[in-house]
Amino acid sequence: MNIKSRLTLRFLITVSIIWLVASLAIYLSTAQFRKEEFYERLHARATAISRLLIEVDEVDAELLRKIESINVLKLPQEKISVFDYQNSELFSTDTTNFIHFDLEDLDRIRLIKYLEWTQNGHEAIGILFEGTFDRYVTIASAYDVFGWRKLDNLRNILVIVFLLMAFILWIAGRYYASKALQPVKNIVDQVKKIGVTNLNERLDEGTKQDELEQLSITFNEMLTRLQKAFESQRSFISHASHELRTPLTSLLSQIDVALLKQRDQATYESTLISLKEDVKELSALNDKLLILAKGQDLMASERQKVRIDNLLWQVLADMRMTYPDVSFKTNIDKDLDDELLTIIGNESLLKSALNNLLDNACKYCKNKVVISMMRKGTYLLFRLKDDGIGIPEADLPHVCQPFFRAGNVATISGHGIGLS
């Protein structure tokens, strides 16, 4: 079931339950009102009959029976009986003994003075009347034809309205669910149009206020990151291919030249030495490319405590052997403690970073490189300075791009990977 159908179903169930509870409350309150009203009318009839019989001397049972026979105001299927203290029947319109009761019921009515019950679908009451010389019990029963008919009509109306309302709610729920999910559909339609060839496309962010528009903003930010990753990947592959082609071309050309004719041993040795240098350069380039490709994965794993000063001494030892003519000077603050010099990181990547920075400085300096480590607040500041040619200001924003090299280093060998 899709979201639209689920939303519609939940909306229908929620509103239907509320409507059902309201309808049930209306029906039950109406039923209670009918019952109370009918018992009041029955009580009034029983009271009127009892008073005529007991308090009016001119009215006896026979006369009262004749009066009741022509009374158009009596209740439907009305049965009234009056008993004296000896449980003798003084008056009754119940000629068929429709109302079932026994002597215990009469005694109970005398005790509690008023009693209500239902018998054969008819409401009945028992009332105690206290006269001057006697205590009388009147039992009255009737059937609320009109009340039950109204209640049945109300029930039918509520059922019909409920079913009609459920149908209307289903249609309305589908409509509003469609409207509510329209922004989602728009996002889906826009996303389907975005592929590798048009990663520059972006979703409509609207007013940037509601949650779905915030989702579009987040998705656009993700697309921006993906676009940069794809562009970086394409650039990486393109430049890597170019950089690899140069030493490979050199290797092939030297081999082809060597194979053109028979040469002496010294020439072959010179060619092999040149090929070895090209292979070493190719191997170094390959190692750098692997580090560059796996750098992100390595940064997320193999993290441990590393003493940055010890790492620096190791790199300096290698640099002194590689560049014996370069003068190295170190300035390390005395207030640097073990806690500040110990960092959490990947040791091989940190060593590679320090090695690349120092190698870059040594490669382009005249003869001096200054290395400084100092405290800056809660941070350890590492500063590297050389007396070389520097980087043109226009090239500074691009120094960390793979394979980028400044315009003033064309005569110096390199690949433009170190800072990356």
Side-chain angles (χ1 to χ4, degrees), residues 27 34-35 37-39 41-43 45 73-80 93 98-99 117-125 140-153 155:
Y27 181 81
R34 181 214 63 81
K35 180 180 178 181
E37 182 188 37
F38 188 71
Y39 271 117
R41 293 168 60 192
L42 194 58
H43 186 279
R45 286 289 299 151
L73 297 178
K74 63 182 181 181
L75 300 174
Q77 303 180 29
E78 180 183 277
K79 310 291 183 182
I80 299 177
T93 60
F98 182 81
I99 306 175
W117 73 93
T118 302
Q119 181 179 291
N120 298 325
H122 291 58
E123 278 94 358
I125 62 170
S141 172
Y143 181 71
D144 189 8
V145 175
F146 304 107
W148 283 113
R149 187 179 298 171
K150 291 178 181 178
L151 202 59
D152 290 341
N153 184 60
R155 180 196 60 207

Side-chain angles (χ1 to χ4, degrees), residues 72-114:
V72 296
L73 297 178
K74 63 182 181 181
L75 300 174
Q77 303 180 29
E78 180 183 277
K79 310 291 183 182
I80 299 177
S81 299
V82 182
F83 300 87
D84 61 12
Y85 74 99
Q86 293 179 340
N87 295 331
S88 298
E89 186 179 86
L90 300 179
F91 170 81
S92 179
T93 60
D94 185 8
T95 57
T96 60
N97 294 322
F98 182 81
I99 306 175
H100 300 289
F101 59 89
D102 51 30
L103 297 179
E104 291 181 358
D105 293 328
L106 295 177
D107 292 337
R108 185 183 177 193
I109 293 170
R110 290 189 179 96
L111 181 64
I112 63 176
K113 297 183 179 182
Y114 183 81

Side-chain angles (χ1 to χ4, degrees), residues 84-252:
D84 61 12
Y85 74 99
Q86 293 179 340
N87 295 331
S88 298
E89 186 179 86
L90 300 179
F91 170 81
S92 179
T93 60
D94 185 8
T95 57
T96 60
N97 294 322
F98 182 81
I99 306 175
H100 300 289
F101 59 89
D102 51 30
L103 297 179
E104 291 181 358
D105 293 328
L106 295 177
D107 292 337
R108 185 183 177 193
I109 293 170
R110 290 189 179 96
L111 181 64
I112 63 176
K113 297 183 179 182
Y114 183 81
L115 180 64
E116 294 180 356
W117 73 93
T118 302
Q119 181 179 291
N120 298 325
H122 291 58
E123 278 94 358
I125 62 170
I127 308 171
L128 175 66
F129 286 96
E130 297 183 10
T132 306
F133 305 104
D134 203 349
R135 291 159 58 88
Y136 303 91
V137 173
T138 300
I139 295 176
S141 172
Y143 181 71
D144 189 8
V145 175
F146 304 107
W148 283 113
R149 187 179 298 171
K150 291 178 181 178
L151 202 59
D152 290 341
N153 184 60
L154 175 63
R155 180 196 60 207
N156 295 335
I157 291 174
L158 290 175
V159 170
I160 293 172
V161 170
F162 175 79
L163 295 176
L164 183 62
M165 178 272 303
F167 177 72
I168 295 174
L169 279 177
W170 175 259
I171 297 175
R174 296 281 295 182
Y175 173 76
Y176 283 110
S178 299
K179 285 295 184 182
L181 294 174
Q182 187 60 43
V184 178
K185 184 177 181 300
N186 293 338
I187 292 175
V188 172
D189 292 340
Q190 293 177 58
V191 170
K192 286 181 178 178
K193 297 177 182 178
I194 300 175
V196 178
T197 58
N198 61 337
L199 278 174
N200 59 321
E201 295 289 336
R202 294 295 180 267
L203 304 182
D204 182 16
E205 298 178 357
T207 58
K208 302 182 180 181
Q209 293 181 351
D210 64 35
E211 290 79 0
L212 290 177
E213 289 169 349
Q214 291 296 322
L215 175 63
S216 296
I217 294 173
T218 305
F219 199 87
N220 285 339
E221 292 173 353
M222 184 189 71
L223 284 175
T224 300
R225 294 192 295 270
L226 286 175
Q227 184 181 8
K228 289 181 179 179
F230 272 96
E231 290 175 352
S232 175
Q233 186 183 49
R234 282 197 293 263
S235 176
F236 179 84
I237 293 173
S238 174
H239 286 88
S241 301
H242 175 75
E243 293 295 330
L244 289 171
R245 186 169 61 248
T246 301
L248 288 173
T249 302
S250 176
L251 286 170
L252 289 173

Side-chain angles (χ1 to χ4, degrees), residues 328-358:
F328 295 93
K329 181 181 180 182
T330 56
N331 297 322
I332 300 178
D333 284 357
K334 296 180 180 180
D335 63 342
L336 296 180
D337 52 23
D338 293 342
E339 182 179 358
L340 195 61
L341 289 170
T342 303
I343 64 176
I344 302 297
N346 184 286
E347 184 174 1
S348 62
L349 284 179
L350 286 169
K351 186 174 182 180
S352 177
L354 290 175
N355 185 81
N356 282 332
L357 290 170
L358 283 170

Side-chain angles (χ1 to χ4, degrees), residues 306-309 312 331-333 335-343 372-383:
V306 181
R307 284 281 302 213
I308 197 68
D309 53 340
L312 176 62
N331 297 322
I332 300 178
D333 284 357
D335 63 342
L336 296 180
D337 52 23
D338 293 342
E339 182 179 358
L340 195 61
L341 289 170
T342 303
I343 64 176
S372 304
M373 281 199 300
M374 62 196 73
R375 178 188 293 272
K376 187 174 182 179
T378 58
Y379 293 94
L380 176 67
L381 178 63
F382 179 84
R383 178 173 289 164

